[in-house]
Amino acid sequence: KILPKNVLLSVIQSDDNKHVTIYAKADSYPDLGYFVASLRLNPDILQNVVVNEVINGSQVSISIGGDLP
């Protein structure tokens, strides 16, 4: 219910096992916006969610940062 079916997660990484960076892409920005909003509404999954970068192209790519609960 958190990840729309049109959103593809490219990379999930963490340098310190507390802060997580997620790279995702989709054909349209609204799908990614829904994904970010879902993460913000579910703090038991990821807290302090921020959008670090948005790259427009044939697909929209996004970098999302947050802290594990």
Side-chain angles (χ1 to χ4, degrees):
K1 294 183 180 184
I2 300 293
L3 184 65
K5 64 180 176 180
N6 296 330
V7 174
L8 175 67
L9 298 182
S10 305
V11 176
I12 301 174
Q13 65 184 27
S14 175
D15 292 337
D16 60 2
N17 293 329
K18 179 69 176 164
H19 184 79
V20 175
T21 303
I22 300 170
Y23 296 92
K25 55 183 150 182
D27 292 331
S28 66
Y29 186 78
D31 292 328
L32 292 169
Y34 177 84
F35 177 51
V36 172
S38 296
L39 287 174
R40 287 181 175 155
L41 291 172
N42 289 289
D44 55 324
I45 295 174
L46 201 61
Q47 299 173 348
N48 305 318
V49 176
V50 293
V51 176
N52 297 322
E53 182 179 20
V54 176
I55 302 168
N56 292 308
S58 60
Q59 285 192 318
V60 181
S61 299
I62 192 171
S63 169
I64 306 163
D67 298 320
L68 294 173

